[in-house]
């Protein structure tokens, strides 16, 4: 799920707020904790597709706030195959 909201700063320049939920996780991977669950095959494909879509829309985040959960980190890393986001901005 992705939501993009465009706002305008007082300077007249616009900013985007992009909210992204992790891709489909693997419920068969019960791991020691919920936070250890990884993405399933469908989720890995979807994460790459959202990265491609962000590239096509020329959406490049200035900053990323990401949960430490395995599935959210995996989603982020897969979308980064299409969108350049330096480690210093995460």
């Amino acid at each position: 799920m992705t939501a993009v909201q465009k706002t305008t700063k007082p300077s007249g320049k616009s900013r985007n707020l992009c909210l992204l939920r992790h891709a489909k996780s693997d419920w068969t991977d019960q791991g020691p904790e919920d936070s250890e669950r990884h993405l399933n095959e469908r989720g890995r494909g979807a994460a790459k597709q959202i990265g491609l879509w962000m590239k096509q829309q020329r959406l490049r985040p200035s900053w990323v706030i990401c949960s430490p959960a395995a599935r959210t980190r995996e989603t982020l890393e897969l979308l980064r195959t299409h969108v350049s986001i330096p480690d210093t901005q995460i």
Side-chain angles (χ1 to χ4, degrees), residues 18 20 46-64 75-87 89-90:
C18 184
L20 178 66
K48 290 177 186 176
Q49 286 179 344
I50 195 65
L52 180 59
W53 178 83
M54 288 176 69
K55 179 180 180 179
Q56 292 168 343
Q57 300 300 310
R58 296 190 174 119
L59 295 173
R60 188 179 160 276
S62 299
W63 293 99
V64 174
T75 298
L76 176 60
E77 289 309 312
L78 289 168
L79 76 84
R80 286 176 76 189
T81 62
H82 294 288
V83 180
S84 176
I85 306 170
D87 290 341
Q89 293 176 294
I90 300 172

Side-chain angles (χ1 to χ4, degrees), residues 2-19:
T2 305
V4 178
Q5 176 67 47
K6 203 169 236 185
T7 60
T8 304
K9 296 186 332 182
S11 66
K13 293 183 180 180
S14 66
R15 289 186 175 213
N16 294 319
L17 173 63
C18 184
L19 303 176

Side-chain angles (χ1 to χ4, degrees), residues 32-43:
E33 295 185 30
D34 178 60
S35 64
E36 297 300 318
R37 255 190 340 208
H38 290 274
L39 299 179
N40 65 16
E41 186 176 334
R42 182 176 133 199

